[in-house]
């Protein structure tokens, strides 16, 4: 058997092993597993961001509560001043009223902001609860699917390992350079070899130039299709 024929025989086993490997990767359970894992991770990111927001809100709430207290004290002081030193003329009265109004407006805006923060906090608490529930449910599903996938993939992994072994056995004795060429072509196109039939590459059905045909006839080992790049082997 020539090296190129040995490489062709190797390719048959290599393709079988790859097919099993692809099946393993594209298993519907595996894809669902990956989707569920992504979902769990995304929920975690959302939850972490929310926790940061909750901390920011708590700080802001503390600050407003303090400011609110100060505004209340200011208003109380103003009332006390009004009782003890009632304004003596219209101008002073107007000034005091304006001051009290300003104080009340400040109070109102703080109270409004507090209510707003409280509303946001409530929404977040609700959302956090639902995220925790969703995540717990997804984790449970993930674990179940993982078991199912492990059982399914275990037998397939064995098949795959056996197919790889078969391919490795066929690789024995093939010159390294030829194997390297095969692997390099395989990165671009698969299967990486094609028969030459009626002067055409059976991989892409392109007629090959006579120079390439002559090389193959002369038994040259490494002739690649000029169009698809596959390694050509004489047709049977
Ligand atoms: Zn081709």
């Amino acid at each position: 058997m020539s090296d190129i024929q040995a490489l062709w025989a190797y390719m048959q086993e290599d393709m079988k092993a790859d097919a099993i490997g692809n099946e393993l990767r594209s298993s519907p359970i595996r894809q669902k597993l990956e989707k569920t894992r992504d979902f769990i991770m995304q929920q975690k990111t959302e939850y972490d961001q929310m926790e940061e927001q909750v901390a920011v809100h708590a700080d802001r709430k503390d600050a407003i509560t303090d400011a609110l207290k100060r505004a209340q004290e200011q208003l109380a002081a103003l009332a006390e001043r009004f009782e003890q030193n009632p304004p003596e003329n219209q101008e002073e009265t107007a000034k005091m009223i304006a001051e009290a109004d300003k104080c009340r407006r400040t109070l109102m805006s703080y109270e409004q902001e507090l209510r707003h923060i409280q509303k946001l906090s409530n929404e977040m608490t609700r959302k956090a609860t639902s995220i925790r529930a969703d995540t717990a449910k997804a984790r449970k599903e993930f674990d179940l699917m993982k078991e199912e996938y492990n059982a399914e993939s275990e037998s397939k992994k064995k098949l795959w390992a056996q197919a790889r072994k078969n391919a490795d056995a066929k690789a024995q004795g093939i010159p390294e350079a030829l194997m390297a060429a095969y692997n390099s072509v395989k990165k671009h196109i698969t299967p990486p070899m094609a028969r030459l039939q009626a002067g055409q590459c059976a991989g892409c059905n392109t007629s090959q130039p006579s120079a390439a045909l002559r090389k193959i006839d002369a038994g040259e080992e490494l002739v690649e299709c000029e169009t698809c790049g596959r390694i050509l082997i004489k047709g049977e």
Side-chain angles (χ1 to χ4, degrees):
M1 197 194 278
S2 71
D3 288 340
I4 197 86
Q5 280 169 331
L7 190 64
W8 180 262
Y10 165 75
M11 185 178 78
Q12 309 312 314
E13 299 306 320
D14 184 35
M15 291 296 106
K16 276 185 210 162
D18 281 359
I20 300 171
N22 285 340
E23 253 178 63
L24 259 171
R25 269 191 299 278
S26 64
S27 140
I29 307 178
R30 186 189 161 120
Q31 283 175 351
K32 252 167 106 184
L33 259 180
E34 282 170 2
K35 232 172 136 184
T36 309
R37 187 203 52 204
D38 289 350
F39 173 75
I40 291 171
M41 271 159 61
Q42 177 210 326
Q43 293 288 90
K44 188 179 166 358
T45 309
E46 216 175 304
Y47 195 83
D48 289 349
Q49 281 168 351
M50 233 163 51
E51 282 209 314
E52 268 172 45
Q53 273 296 308
V54 167
V56 170
H57 283 167
D59 283 350
R60 182 69 190 141
K61 209 170 151 182
D62 285 348
I64 299 172
T65 308
D66 282 349
L68 195 67
K69 217 172 124 196
R70 276 196 305 277
Q72 276 162 346
E73 281 164 5
Q74 220 181 337
L75 197 62
L78 209 63
E80 206 183 317
R81 217 168 81 206
F82 188 81
E83 276 195 14
Q84 279 165 10
N85 298 308
E88 283 163 3
N89 53 44
Q90 237 178 349
E91 199 190 334
E92 266 181 43
T93 309
K95 230 170 119 187
M96 244 181 182
I97 287 173
E99 216 177 318
D101 274 351
K102 198 179 150 208
C103 226
R104 261 187 226 104
R105 273 199 301 275
T106 308
L107 266 174
M108 265 161 66
S109 85
Y110 283 150
E111 278 164 356
Q112 203 178 8
E113 196 178 345
L114 263 184
R115 275 197 299 274
H116 179 63
I117 290 180
Q118 190 57 49
K119 200 177 144 216
L120 288 180
S121 295
N122 290 346
E123 274 167 21
M124 278 192 186
T125 309
R126 261 199 305 278
K127 192 136 185 246
T129 310
S130 104
I131 286 184
R132 272 201 302 271
D134 288 351
T135 307
K137 197 172 150 231
R139 270 187 209 288
K140 226 174 177 176
E141 274 172 15
F142 183 86
D143 290 344
L144 280 174
M145 273 192 286
K146 179 106 190 165
E147 263 176 52
E148 200 184 329
Y149 173 68
N150 285 347
E152 182 201 79
S153 65
E154 208 171 324
S155 56
K156 235 172 223 169
K157 269 182 190 156
K158 274 187 197 151
L159 275 178
W160 179 80
Q162 187 54 51
R164 265 285 142 236
K165 240 171 142 179
N166 294 346
D168 288 348
K170 296 274 185 191
Q172 294 296 316
I174 296 173
E176 235 171 79
L178 198 55
M179 194 52 100
Y182 173 93
N183 285 324
S184 139
V185 173
K186 194 180 162 186
K187 277 185 199 140
H188 307 292
I189 196 154
T190 193
M193 291 177 84
R195 290 271 184 207
L196 183 73
Q197 265 150 359
Q200 284 189 344
C201 161
C204 67
N205 297 322
T206 307
S207 293
Q208 298 299 304
S210 47
L213 300 179
R214 271 200 303 278
K215 275 189 202 164
I216 291 170
D217 268 340
E220 203 166 306
E221 292 290 341
L222 190 58
V223 181
E224 290 173 4
C225 167
E226 288 198 344
T227 306
C228 70
R230 286 185 174 93
I231 300 169
L232 294 169
I233 178 169
K234 222 170 168 173
E236 283 184 320

